[in-house]
Amino acid sequence: METILKEGQKVNRIYLSAPDVSNLEREAVIKAIDSNWIAPIGPDLDAFEEEVASWTGMPYAVGLSSGTAALHLALVLLGVGPGDEVLVPTFTFVPTANAALYVGARPFFVDSEYSSWCMSPDLVRVALEDRARTGKLPKAAMVVDLYGQCANYSQLQPLFADYGIPIIEDAAEALGARRDDAPAGSFGTYAAVSFNGNKIVTSSSGGMLLCSDPESASRARKLSTQAREEAPHYEHKEVGYNYRLSNILAAFGRAQLATLEKRMARRSKIRIRYEEALAAFTGVSFAPVSIGSKPNWWMTCITVDPRIAGISVSQIQKSLESANIESRPTWKPMHLQPLFSGSQSYIDGTSEQIFRTGLCLPSGGGMSDDDVARVIDHLVSMFNMGA
Ligand SMILES: *Cc1c(COP(=O)(O)O)cnc(C)c1O
């Protein structure tokens, strides 16, 4: 169905995951400016680190300029470098795999399990047995908590532990989620969270590296501020980066984090409304939620079987766009990306199937009930026509 807009008629654009910002953030930033903590570090950064650490159950957190920077530093801290391999889920956003390239390592890919859309423990076992036979085990494993749901750690952790392979948890999308009663961010040696503009908690841009020991945290602080040695002058022994989060952005992020419970509840309610509205249509499924899993509901994703629904996700995306509603295909798997052509991968078709049939629906907590109704009306009329 096309929504025909008459000339001069305007409907507001509904975004996929627009930042949900209130007066709290405005006041927090002004307070930070007035307190004169403009220079990168400051009390809001310290407090933001402590608050994120407590949400994620990790003892140490280092505020960084992005989640990508956190993934990069995690690999540096583990000593991953040229000639090493890193195991990465194929179904993810590209920064997970890029981090391996930043340190000169090679990523190789493992497919998803359907029940969480995250890394498949069965295929990890196949991959590690195969690697062990050839004597070349990965130096680290990145595990991604996809679309706000934690991966299957009760099965993944013992597998990696058997081979002594450390886990880096990419919890960029999953702050606030839980699995088997443990919080997202607590499952690896290191974890990364993101405060990019489209995430559930944003600092406009930013991220954090979570560490289980104080030495790693202080090394990460040093590496993220040009790796300056203790000396009265500027002394350098190793490569550093300019990756630190600023105090002003941390003030913004803190104000967002203070309402994380409410943000999750709002996004959950949006998903429930989609589920209720589309329940009657065969051929439409929602991203599954695993047993023991409590997602943060960051993104509502559906899959559509065009043979049953009578309409494909690309048709739906186009039609939503004509009504000024943003939607997106699910991540295109890394093993299909030209950037990683030739990389080894352990694939069973799950992520390719989700990519072909998957669509992310507007999920931003700032959407009004009317906005949600507008998206739903449009989807319902499309599925009615398809059926
Ligand atoms: C957003 C995201 C990142 C990167 O975070 P930035 O803060 O944007 O650098 C990494 N991995 C996943 C899965 C993400 O969704």
Side-chain angles (χ1 to χ4, degrees):
M1 190 199 79
E2 306 270 304
T3 303
I4 310 291
L5 296 180
K6 299 200 185 70
E7 225 178 325
Q9 188 183 350
K10 287 223 171 81
V11 293
N12 66 311
R13 180 157 178 79
I14 298 177
Y15 292 95
L16 198 64
S17 182
D20 177 10
V21 178
S22 73
N23 250 333
L24 287 177
E25 289 81 352
R26 193 190 319 270
E27 282 160 17
V29 169
I30 290 171
K31 226 171 99 191
I33 293 171
D34 289 346
S35 71
N36 243 334
W37 287 101
I38 313 294
I41 54 169
D44 279 303
L45 180 54
D46 295 342
F48 193 30
E49 289 178 342
E50 274 166 35
E51 289 156 7
V52 170
S54 103
W55 262 101
T56 55
M58 280 290 242
Y60 304 95
V62 181
L64 300 173
S65 52
S66 70
T68 307
L71 294 169
H72 181 190
L73 288 189
L75 288 169
V76 173
L77 289 172
L78 288 172
V80 180
D84 293 329
E85 292 192 322
V86 178
L87 192 158
V88 177
T90 189
F91 196 42
T92 185
F93 187 26
V94 71
T96 324
N98 274 345
L101 300 183
Y102 294 166
V103 296
R106 256 201 324 267
F108 70 98
F109 301 106
V110 170
D111 217 327
S112 296
E113 57 172 12
Y114 186 73
S115 56
S116 67
W117 287 11
C118 299
M119 189 180 253
S120 157
D122 289 341
L123 287 172
V124 167
R125 182 179 294 108
V126 170
L128 293 182
E129 281 169 2
D130 188 39
R131 292 292 153 143
R133 263 194 302 275
T134 59
K136 178 116 181 113
L137 285 166
K139 193 93 179 265
M142 319 279 260
V143 181
V144 181
D145 302 330
L146 211 67
Y147 294 121
Q149 172 162 232
C150 293
N152 189 348
Y153 291 103
S154 61
Q155 290 188 33
L156 290 170
Q157 280 174 327
L159 274 171
F160 289 121
D162 274 353
Y163 291 92
I165 298 166
I167 293 175
I168 297 170
E169 180 182 358
D170 181 347
E173 303 174 358
L175 187 63
R178 301 180 73 83
R179 180 135 183 175
D180 302 325
D181 243 12
S186 69
F187 295 101
T189 307
Y190 300 111
V193 289
S194 167
F195 307 115
N196 194 357
N198 66 352
K199 300 301 197 299
I200 195 162
V201 166
T202 180
S203 57
S204 100
S205 66
M208 238 174 244
L209 176 70
L210 308 171
C211 310
S212 34
D213 64 289
E215 294 78 23
S216 296
S218 74
R219 179 118 202 281
R221 284 203 172 84
K222 178 183 168 193
L223 289 171
S224 67
T225 50
Q226 311 289 17
R228 206 181 145 187
E229 301 297 330
E230 296 270 4
H233 58 276
Y234 288 91
E235 178 78 11
H236 302 280
K237 289 188 192 154
E238 60 182 335
V239 182
Y241 307 89
N242 182 8
Y243 274 175
R244 200 77 165 106
L245 183 65
S246 90
N247 191 61
I248 300 272
L249 296 187
F252 192 104
R254 284 187 75 197
Q256 290 253 307
L257 187 65
T259 57
L260 178 51
E261 289 285 3
K262 255 178 27 201
R263 290 165 183 279
M264 293 193 287
R266 176 66 188 153
R267 289 190 188 236
S268 161
K269 200 170 152 216
I270 292 169
R271 160 141 171 169
I272 289 166
R273 284 193 60 196
Y274 283 131
E275 282 180 330
E276 286 169 356
L278 302 181
F281 297 102
T282 51
V284 183
S285 311
F286 283 77
V289 176
S290 295
I291 296 161
S293 169
K294 282 193 192 155
N296 68 1
W297 309 108
W298 173 59
M299 191 67 73
T300 294
C301 305
I302 55 171
T303 53
V304 176
D305 183 337
R307 291 163 305 182
I308 302 172
I311 189 164
S312 72
V313 279
S314 63
Q315 288 170 308
I316 297 170
Q317 190 192 1
K318 255 197 223 133
S319 176
L320 286 170
E321 190 54 49
S322 75
N324 214 9
I325 298 167
E326 184 184 27
S327 63
R328 290 270 178 90
T330 48
W331 303 124
K332 180 176 178 179
M334 293 303 112
H335 72 276
L336 301 178
Q337 301 286 356
L339 176 61
F340 298 110
S341 70
S343 299
Q344 212 177 340
S345 46
Y346 298 85
I347 299 302
D348 69 3
T350 303
S351 61
E352 290 181 21
Q353 173 74 13
I354 298 170
F355 171 58
R356 270 199 305 275
T357 59
L359 192 69
C360 304
L361 298 177
S363 306
M367 272 199 292
S368 68
D369 286 346
D370 284 351
D371 288 341
V372 181
R374 204 176 107 205
V375 181
I376 284 174
D377 287 349
H378 198 89
L379 288 168
V380 164
S381 62
M382 267 185 295
F383 285 122
N384 270 327
M385 283 193 13

